Structures are given as structure tokens and as C-alpha cells.
Amino acid sequence: MAPMLELAPGLIHLPAFFDRAAQERLVDDLRAAVAQAPLFTPRMPRTGKAFSVRMTNCGVLGWVSDAAGGYRYQAGHPETGAAWAPIPPLALTAWEAGGYRAPPEACLVNFYDGGAKMGLHQDRDEQALDAPVVSISLGDSCLFRFGGANRGGTTRSVRLHSGDVVLIGGESRLCFHGVDKIYGGTSTLLAQGGRINLTLRRVSQPPVEG
Ligand code: MD3
Ligand code: FE
């Protein structure tokens, strides 16, 4: 594993956290997760505009969005009602690097084809804002952009590669961020190309320790 890089206070990049064998095992687990709870196309609240990224989830809660219900976490698939598959055990090793006292409840799985992007946004649908969001990149590299906690400030860009982990906590937990570009043909992990990002999240405030 390469050394960690602190991109901003609380924003930690762990390049090559997962080796190739681990990346392949994660992809195998994700195939099973998609078989159980198929990819869906989320839609913006109110307008119903489709995201270019397709999604599924693992864990007891999954993040979903549609015109009528908006952004939310729920226990089942928005179209089939199926329960989400368990979070892959290897993904939990990246969560442990974040040092939070309770396990993640949700693992959002984003699938980017060559043309997909994600606009600048904050992750603020969780109650446990003291918990980091832990991101795992698989497949083609991307250009990731992040700024501060206010929209419209200056931003910086970083490339994320297959096997990289990013911990988004502390002062950076509410930073604006997005994915500007996928670099096609930069990884052989996924036979059809594209990029997968897993984000592990604690949604509810954990119970107080007894
Ligand atoms: C936040 N996903 O699903 S996660 C999302 O690559 C999402 O699919 C992106 O944003 C993706 O909500 C990015 C990783 C990440 C990396 C750096 C950040 C999130 C960050 C820096 C600041 C704030
Ligand atoms: Fe996000």
C-alpha cells in the first residue's frame, strides 16, 4: 500500500489500498449484489431528471432517489422491493481504516459508463455526520473534484484509480464533490470497462455505549 495523502483536513487518500486480487473479489461480490438487487437509474427530486450513473446498494439501508420521494435511505430496492445484499467483507476493511465506532449501514454502489458524471454535491442525507464516508474505486480511473463546504468556492481535482480508498471525514465531511470524467481504457478489471465506486456510510446515530 502506498502512503496516505491528506488532500485537505479530514480528507485522506489511500492509493492502492486494495491489490488486484482483492479488487477481483470485490467485483465478484458486487455481481451477486446486482443479481439480488438490480441496477436502477436514480432521478432528481421534483424534476425527475435521470442521473447518468446507475446504482444499487449493499447493507441494511440503501440510498435511493426519485421525483416524488427525493433523496432517502430505505431497506429495499425502489422497483423490486428486494432486500440489499450484505456489504462485501473486504469493503468493511476499508471502513475500519476510517476508525468509526459503529459499522456502516449502507454501501452505495455507483456504476459509471464512459460518459457518466456526477455533479458537485454534498453527502448530507445521513444523521451520523460525525462518521466518515468511505469510498472505494474500481475499474477505470476518474477525475474527481472537491471544494469546501460552500457551493461556489475554489475546487481542486485529483485522479482516483482502481483499488484506491478515500476517507471523507472531519472538516471535509460536508465538502462539495463530484466526478467530472471517466478515463476509458485505463483498467482491465471490468471486461466491459467503466468505473464502480462504493461508498460506505453510517446513516443513523449509533446507540450510546453502555
Ligand atoms: C467528498 N460518489 O455517491 S465518493 C456519492 O466516485 C459520490 O462515485 C463519488 O459522491 C464517486 O455520493 C465520490 C468519494 C469522495 C472522494 C472525495 C471527496 C467523496 C468526497 C472529497 C470531499 C467530499
Ligand atoms: Fe457524494
Side-chain angles (χ1 to χ4, degrees):
M1 211 197 300
M4 65 168 229
L5 302 163
E6 189 160 21
L7 301 174
L11 183 58
I12 312 292
H13 183 190
L14 302 171
F17 182 91
F18 290 109
D19 66 15
R20 175 73 183 214
Q23 294 171 41
E24 287 174 1
R25 186 174 307 182
L26 282 165
V27 171
D28 282 345
D29 288 349
L30 293 173
R31 281 188 224 291
V34 170
Q36 176 169 334
L39 293 175
F40 62 91
T41 296
R43 291 177 176 278
M44 295 292 290
R46 296 178 295 278
T47 64
K49 184 177 165 24
F51 284 53
S52 61
V53 178
R54 291 181 301 152
M55 300 181 178
T56 188
N57 290 271
C58 300
V60 296
L61 291 174
W63 187 90
V64 303
S65 182
D66 53 36
Y71 302 153
R72 63 201 186 272
Y73 284 93
Q74 64 182 40
H77 190 280
E79 292 157 8
T80 69
W84 311 108
I87 298 177
L90 271 173
L92 295 174
T93 66
W95 178 260
E96 283 160 16
Y100 193 65
R101 67 183 184 280
E105 295 167 297
C107 174
L108 174 60
V109 182
N110 294 328
F111 279 78
Y112 294 81
D113 65 22
K117 301 173 191 197
M118 190 177 287
L120 282 176
H121 66 277
Q122 293 170 298
D123 291 10
R124 53 184 307 160
D125 303 320
E126 303 77 25
Q127 292 163 271
L129 289 175
D130 58 328
V133 172
V134 174
S135 153
I136 302 169
S137 292
L138 295 170
D140 284 336
S141 302
C142 77
L143 186 64
F144 186 83
R145 189 145 63 101
F146 65 96
N150 296 300
R151 191 182 282 283
T154 61
T155 61
R156 288 169 56 196
S157 293
V158 61
R159 278 188 200 221
L160 299 179
H161 306 288
S162 194
D164 288 6
V165 165
V166 182
L167 312 176
I168 306 104
E171 278 184 44
S172 289
R173 178 63 180 76
L174 291 176
C175 282
F176 278 87
H177 60 279
V179 174
D180 285 338
K181 184 175 167 56
I182 306 297
Y183 297 102
T186 51
S187 169
T188 57
L189 185 68
L190 306 171
Q192 310 302 321
R195 172 174 184 264
I196 300 174
N197 180 263
L198 309 183
T199 49
L200 297 152
R201 296 128 185 275
R202 179 74 199 188
V203 178
S204 67
Q205 203 57 54
V208 175
E209 255 182 88

